Amino acid sequence: MSEITDFDALRRAMAENGEEPEGPARNARAEQLLAEAERLNIPLAVIEALGHQLKVYNYSSEKDKMFVPFARLLRMWDERPEDFDEYETHSLHWVFKWMSSGMLDQPHVPLASIEKWLGEMEHRYRLAGHSERAVRSAEFSVAAHVGDVGRAERAYAAWLAADRDTMADCHACELHGQGWWQSERGRDAEAVELWGPVLDGEFSCAHEPHTVLASSLVPLLRLDRLDEARANHLRGFRLVRSMESMRGAYADHVEFCALTGNEARGLELLAERPAYFTDTGHPRSRLEFMAVVALLMDRLTELGLEDRRVPGPAGRAWTAVELGAHAHVEALALAERFDARNGTSYVSERARARMAQRPLVERLPLGVRAARPAGAAVPVVAAPVEPAAEPELAVLLAEARRLSDTLQPNAVEAWAAVSRAAEGVELDARDRAEIADHQAMDAGPEGAELFERAAELYAEAGDPGEALAARARAAYVHALTGDLDEAVAAVAGPYDEVLALYADGVTGVRQAASVLMGRARILMRRVHEAEGPPPEPVLTEAEAAAREVLALVDGHAGDDVRLASRAAESQAMLAELAALTGDAPAGAELFARAAAAFVGAGLPWFAVEYEARLAGLAHHLGDTAEAERALRAALEHGGPHLEAVGRAQLHLQLAEVVGGRGQAEEAAEHALEAAHWADEAGEGPTLGAWARHQLGGFLVRQGRWAEAAEVLESALPDLSAETHGDGAIVQTQWWLGDCLSELGEHRAAAERRLQAAEIARHWPEQHDHATLAHLAAENLGHAGLPAEADRAYTRAGDLWRTLGNVHGLVRSLRARAWLALRSEAGLDGARELMTGAVRECEAALGTAADEEARGRLVAELGHTHRQFGDLLARSVSEDAGDDSIQSAFEEALSQVAEAVAVFGSLGPEARHSRTAAQLAAGWLEADLGRPADAAARARAVLEAYPDGTADEDGTARARRAEAQQMLQVLEEQAAK
């Protein structure tokens, strides 16, 4: 840390400290700088150092320290106002507002002192000639805080009626306060409308749109504008995450999580900011934070997670119920201190109301993973509900038979209820057979013995056909466990016997169809388990078995749902066989028939699998419209019966199809749903990560950079080369780099792009590697890291050369030239690089493959000459000698004139580039004292864009305006 020896060094040090992250370290440095300023013995230096100290205190958790430097500044002003320059005079009056709000936020400052301060502020503003707008705004804040609604409304009206002047808060901050009041008064729609210009980026400042985004969350939830609330959470949390002074806004994001079923993410947010539990420098934001901590902990307790470990104040382990109790006590104790100061109960009432809120949305998917804090297991699920008393056994039996006869999804659960109710009750063989049969179905691969037991009971009950059907189901269990030979052998007997019984009229078509379908399923399993292409005999036997089921039930189904389902499933088997043998069109047609048959039978949930298979085949055949229709139908038909993982897969496939036809907004909605349902299914690190990857990409396509960044950063920890492929990791890093670039986070963007480049460097094709290195270089340059940027451009340039990509190579050389101009290499190094770029273009022109390629290279050469000229013109400082300036401008003009000629050779297609170069040349000629030549350039531009031409666009208008401006300047110079 260099010693402060003069005022300029002090100013540089304060500017550097102002760029440091908010927090105690920056505050401590400001205190050191004040001591350094005092040693300089320059009054203005002390004034500026006090102002710097006051500013960093205000933007930190140590806001209570602001009052001392301000009191000193005010005393200095009263004693010697002439020591303050214009800027510091303005700053002194500006921070009166900070003192007003700062006192309000500290419950130990008496209300009488705050009111006295308001009067002092009004008096001093009047003396300085300022509007009362800022004073009325401060009065409104006091009245709103103590709950004096009448006074607050009067001050609010006076605030808006007063003239805006240099003391008024910026538009963004004013709109935040106005919208906040509307929301407080129950006018959420009006609040959101007021916040619109801030949310849309029209107005911004150091703390906006940060606080508007946070304040808008609950009003948007109450208005049922859930997509906007989600977006504002993702955008806003990103902004406040690293800002220590934003505890109140941070609390709004925790509250949002508690009210939207995102309790696990709420805990993640608490874990990121442990100091927020204990920082005491700003009691008001600590009250807000502890209130939402209590809200979140109460929510977890309601969900049966009261004993779960949660992040809390350092020094001990916390459970949800313990932290909730602690937060309640702390929040109400702070609220009571404010109320004791204010003489009202308003702050406590608001705190209690905030802590007592109920969820506004059962679950609002956010698209991001909620990583659990260390030591906290928080799978947020509903507490188990005690089962109600079950009806009588006869009623249960009747309902279970109705459900199983109509193939309803919850038939197995109904039979489980029968089984529980039948304990200790004597049942006939038929009842026991059906109970065992459905217990076997519920047991999956472990159900073979139960099916055999059911077969014995069916036989005992005098139903040999159903006994054979149960044995066929037992055989299929063997197929599921991989013992195909045993399964084929086991089903052979029931198959022969049931056909004989059916021929003799001893059993019905339903039982026969059940056995035949069991055999067909086993044979289809053998097809799928075959290594490599299934042998022809295996395919033939499976097809014959499926057709045999169809032939059996043909004409018999009627209203029998079971028989209709056998026919539909047989169609699906034939579809699978067609697809396996390469007849995709036939497979698609048969899957469509099968799905339609299930829907027609009133069994739409059975159609889901086949609609999904149809979608895959349709996509393969290039029929994206049919693929989309089938996927939508699958989601519709599955309804509430669709398992979470299946729902996730369908939404993800639909996202890809919809996104493929350019509908990024709807695609993002499906990817969001896919991520949510993958998490619900416990597939967050696998399917969920892929869905987040896709969601991030669709958000990027919409330019929703902050939301996309949050989602992509959330996806990265779970993406792996083994599961998702290294291409997915590179693409995610690439998209994230794009987002961070757009958000101005250039150093972080460069890191992401270099990480992606490191993976891509091992790929056989190196274009992505080169592009990523080039993009990273751009970010490094914007981040103020010229040496690192030059190395990255050099790396990219070498790769472009190897790839034979002249355009990339030339652009990397030009970028390096601009960097060199500001480095030790200086103008000579920059000139050498630009000359190299020209040489590369000219060499490539000699080997251009066709006229199109040649045209692109000529344009690249023109841009290179143009940039060369700009670089030379900017290479001289304003205090350089006339001869140096003259020489630099002459050389620059030569390059720009060459650019004009090069662009001119391309004809009308390069008109905009040519006229831009002509204007640049004209200004240089004007600076060189050649007004006639400059005027000729301007008139040439006007001729290129005749006034009122039909094809005039924004560029044309801008070119004409600049040319006319040039002519006007030249006329004014000539008149002098």
Side-chain angles (χ1 to χ4, degrees):
M1 190 177 296
S2 59
E3 184 180 354
I4 305 298
T5 58
D6 56 45
F7 201 173
D8 286 341
L10 175 69
R11 283 173 165 164
R12 286 194 299 272
M14 289 190 295
E16 290 170 2
N17 193 46
E19 295 299 317
E20 292 298 312
E22 295 177 354
R26 186 170 75 158
N27 295 353
R29 177 61 175 154
E31 293 161 6
Q32 293 173 357
L33 291 174
L34 175 60
E36 297 277 4
E38 290 169 337
R39 281 194 283 273
L40 293 176
N41 200 27
I42 301 172
L44 184 58
V46 175
I47 290 167
E48 290 189 12
L50 284 166
H52 173 66
Q53 188 181 75
L54 198 156
K55 182 176 181 179
V56 299
Y57 284 156
N58 183 58
Y59 292 113
S60 78
S61 62
E62 298 179 310
K63 292 177 185 285
D64 54 338
K65 292 184 176 182
M66 289 192 302
F67 306 111
V68 172
F70 182 75
R72 184 175 172 188
L73 273 171
L74 196 58
R75 186 172 63 251
M76 292 176 73
W77 168 261
D78 289 339
E79 293 173 354
R80 290 179 56 85
E82 64 271 18
D83 288 341
F84 288 70
D85 63 14
E86 182 180 356
Y87 179 81
E88 292 303 326
T89 299
H90 177 274
S91 296
L92 176 71
H93 287 81
W94 180 268
V95 295
F96 264 87
K97 299 179 295 181
W98 294 0
M99 295 305 106
S100 175
S101 62
M103 290 177 180
L104 202 61
D105 295 339
Q106 303 290 335
H108 69 274
V109 179
L111 190 61
S113 298
I114 297 172
E115 295 286 4
K116 180 180 178 182
W117 181 257
L118 272 177
E120 178 76 8
M121 179 180 174
E122 184 171 9
H123 172 68
R124 288 182 180 262
Y125 271 40
R126 189 180 300 115
L127 287 177
H130 296 307
S131 162
E132 67 171 11
R133 189 177 182 94
V135 178
R136 298 285 78 83
S137 173
E139 182 190 4
F140 159 76
S141 297
V142 173
H145 172 66
V146 302
D148 188 342
V149 175
R151 183 187 180 193
E153 290 283 20
R154 291 190 299 274
Y156 182 89
W159 166 24
L160 269 62
D163 293 335
R164 280 189 57 83
D165 67 350
T166 57
M167 282 300 113
D169 281 342
C170 73
H171 283 290
C173 287
E174 284 206 332
L175 289 172
H176 173 251
Q178 293 162 19
W180 173 84
W181 182 240
Q182 297 303 320
S183 180
E184 284 291 299
R185 303 302 298 150
R187 298 185 285 265
D188 288 332
E190 290 87 340
V192 174
E193 184 177 358
L194 278 166
W195 289 327
V198 184
L199 295 172
D200 294 340
E202 183 178 345
F203 301 122
S204 63
C205 68
H207 277 185
E208 295 298 352
H210 313 44
T211 56
V212 163
L213 286 163
S215 296
S216 72
L217 297 174
V218 172
L220 285 169
L221 290 174
R222 289 195 293 249
L223 291 168
D224 200 32
R225 293 162 66 170
L226 304 184
D227 289 342
E228 293 171 72
R230 176 196 300 112
N232 287 3
H233 169 62
L234 294 177
R235 285 176 59 200
F237 181 67
R238 184 171 194 83
L239 292 174
V240 304
R241 172 182 267 145
S242 62
M243 298 180 71
E244 185 196 48
S245 64
M246 302 292 285
R247 178 163 56 182
Y250 201 98
D252 291 339
H253 288 279
V254 176
E255 177 184 44
F256 168 83
C257 293
L259 298 178
T260 58
N262 287 288
E263 295 84 3
R265 180 167 171 83
L267 290 179
E268 183 181 349
L269 268 57
L270 297 187
E272 286 193 29
R273 278 291 183 180
Y276 277 172
F277 288 99
T278 52
D279 284 344
T280 59
H282 192 241
R284 192 171 180 180
S285 69
R286 184 161 183 259
L287 162 59
E288 293 165 350
F289 184 76
M290 296 309 290
V292 299
V293 169
L295 171 68
L296 178 60
M297 295 307 114
D298 286 354
R299 180 66 184 143
L300 291 171
T301 299
E302 288 176 13
L303 294 171
L305 301 170
E306 65 275 5
D307 295 327
R308 297 305 174 101
R309 289 277 301 277
V310 295
R316 58 161 288 188
W318 295 90
T319 64
V321 70
E322 291 168 343
L323 182 60
H326 170 77
H328 272 275
V329 170
E330 290 289 310
L332 291 176
L334 283 164
E336 287 165 7
R337 287 176 59 198
F338 281 104
D339 284 341
R341 187 269 302 275
N342 300 338
T344 69
S345 60
Y346 184 68
V347 175
S348 294
E349 290 168 2
R350 291 183 74 248
R352 288 191 176 91
R354 193 172 197 182
M355 291 187 288
Q357 290 179 98
R358 304 301 305 153
L360 296 171
V361 184
E362 183 178 349
R363 181 71 189 274
L364 178 62
L366 302 178
V368 293
R369 67 199 284 270
R372 299 188 179 98
V378 271
V380 181
V381 294
V385 179
E386 288 297 321
E390 292 183 339
E392 294 181 2
L393 179 57
V395 175
L396 289 171
L397 265 170
E399 177 63 6
R401 286 193 174 115
R402 183 188 70 80
L403 293 174
S404 57
D405 282 346
T406 55
L407 298 178
Q408 298 299 305
N410 49 349
V412 170
E413 289 78 5
W415 280 105
V418 170
S419 179
R420 290 192 298 272
E423 289 181 8
V425 178
E426 281 290 329
L427 296 174
D428 63 29
R430 178 72 190 195
D431 294 339
R432 286 182 286 135
E434 289 181 87
I435 291 173
D437 207 358
H438 286 86
Q439 285 177 334
M441 294 176 193
D442 196 32
E446 309 299 322
E449 291 186 9
L450 281 168
F451 278 129
E452 294 291 354
R453 175 59 181 156
E456 293 171 3
L457 290 167
Y458 279 127
E460 183 181 335
D463 191 340
E466 203 60 57
L468 293 171
R471 287 174 56 196
R473 288 191 280 275
Y476 184 57
V477 171
H478 293 300
L480 290 176
T481 56
D483 199 341
L484 286 165
D485 291 339
E486 183 177 345
V488 171
V491 81
Y495 170 73
D496 290 337
E497 291 177 45
V498 83
L499 287 178
L501 290 176
Y502 180 65
D504 293 339
V506 177
T507 195
V509 67
R510 177 188 283 193
Q511 289 76 17
S514 182
V515 176
L516 267 59
M517 179 54 74
R519 178 172 176 270
R521 288 173 179 168
I522 291 169
L523 295 175
M524 285 298 296
R525 191 81 184 178
R526 190 166 63 174
V527 168
H528 290 301
E529 294 293 323
E531 294 184 8
E536 188 65 31
V538 171
L539 290 168
T540 301
E541 191 174 13
E543 180 180 354
R547 293 192 182 281
E548 189 176 20
V549 177
L550 273 175
L552 176 67
V553 301
D554 185 37
H556 294 285
D559 295 330
D560 192 320
V561 172
R562 283 182 176 272
L563 290 180
S565 76
R566 301 299 185 207
E569 187 176 352
S570 300
Q571 295 275 16
M573 288 177 174
L574 294 174
E576 288 187 56
L577 293 169
L580 279 170
T581 55
D583 193 350
E589 182 183 347
L590 287 164
F591 275 131
R593 284 189 203 168
F598 276 121
V599 174
L603 304 169
W605 48 88
F606 282 109
V608 172
E609 177 185 353
Y610 306 117
E611 294 281 15
R613 297 288 301 276
L614 169 57
L617 284 177
H619 197 273
H620 172 73
L621 292 168
D623 189 350
T624 54
E626 175 64 4
E628 182 178 339
R629 184 213 61 77
L631 290 167
R632 292 186 189 280
L635 282 167
E636 178 188 350
H637 294 151
H641 309 299
L642 195 57
E643 291 186 356
V645 68
R647 193 177 297 275
Q649 290 168 337
L650 289 171
H651 274 296
L652 190 52
Q653 291 175 61
L654 193 51
E656 293 172 353
V657 171
V658 173
R661 59 177 175 83
Q663 301 297 312
E665 187 172 348
E666 185 186 351
E669 294 172 5
H670 288 294
L672 176 67
E673 288 293 320
H676 167 70
W677 290 109
D679 290 343
E680 290 290 304
E683 297 288 339
T686 51
L687 185 60
W690 181 256
R692 278 182 265 280
H693 159 81
Q694 294 283 63
L695 172 59
F698 293 129
L699 292 171
V700 165
R701 283 165 59 176
Q702 297 175 66
R704 294 160 65 176
W705 309 111
E707 296 167 68
E710 282 292 301
V711 170
L712 293 167
E713 286 173 344
S714 176
L716 269 174
D718 290 325
L719 289 172
S720 68
E722 295 75 20
T723 302
H724 306 96
D726 56 9
I729 299 172
V730 168
Q731 183 64 79
T732 301
Q733 297 275 29
W734 195 324
W735 281 332
L736 186 51
D738 292 345
C739 295
L740 297 172
S741 287
E742 293 290 340
L743 295 169
E745 300 175 36
H746 292 291
R747 185 189 290 261
E751 290 175 1
R752 293 300 186 183
R753 286 168 164 170
L754 289 172
Q755 289 167 3
E758 188 58 27
I759 298 173
R761 69 188 288 265
H762 300 291
W763 294 352
E765 209 290 315
Q766 288 289 285
H767 186 273
D768 286 346
H769 181 196
T771 303
L772 286 161
H774 199 117
L775 292 170
E778 291 179 4
N779 289 129
L780 291 166
H782 288 305
L785 300 168
E788 292 85 346
D790 183 71
R791 285 196 294 273
Y793 275 126
T794 301
R795 172 183 176 182
D798 291 342
L799 289 164
W800 292 130
R801 187 184 299 278
T802 301
L803 290 166
N805 189 318
V806 178
H807 299 278
L809 172 59
V810 167
R811 290 168 192 176
S812 68
L813 289 169
R814 292 198 308 243
R816 290 182 60 204
W818 284 104
L819 291 169
L821 186 62
R822 296 164 180 80
S823 72
E824 292 181 3
L827 179 57
D828 289 342
R831 182 185 284 110
E832 182 180 349
L833 287 161
M834 277 293 188
T835 301
V838 170
R839 192 183 307 117
E840 293 291 346
C841 282
E842 292 174 340
L845 278 169
T847 58
D850 51 45
E851 281 304 311
E852 184 181 350
R854 180 177 177 79
R856 290 198 303 270
L857 286 167
V858 170
E860 199 72 74
L861 178 60
H863 289 301
T864 304
H865 280 300
R866 167 67 197 278
Q867 284 201 35
F868 202 165
D870 290 346
L871 181 144
L872 292 165
R874 297 182 196 180
S875 67
V876 289
S877 59
E878 292 182 1
D879 57 358
D882 290 345
D883 290 344
S884 296
I885 294 174
Q886 177 87 8
S887 175
F889 280 14
E890 289 283 7
E891 189 179 359
L893 178 58
S894 173
Q895 289 292 338
V896 177
E898 187 65 29
V900 173
V902 171
F903 287 130
S905 71
L906 291 173
E909 294 298 316
R911 179 174 59 163
H912 290 336
S913 297
R914 184 182 74 254
T915 53
Q918 283 176 317
L919 289 167
W923 290 116
L924 285 168
E925 285 166 330
D927 288 336
L928 288 166
R930 302 168 188 168
D933 292 338
R937 297 281 188 189
R939 284 191 290 273
V941 171
L942 292 174
E943 290 171 5
Y945 301 106
D947 193 12
T949 52
D951 64 343
E952 184 168 311
D953 57 15
T955 302
R957 288 190 292 272
R959 295 282 192 274
R960 287 182 57 81
E962 187 176 350
Q964 289 164 348
Q965 179 192 11
M966 185 183 298
L967 290 172
Q968 183 179 349
V969 169
L970 292 170
E971 288 174 7
E972 291 172 356
Q973 290 175 344
K976 291 181 181 179

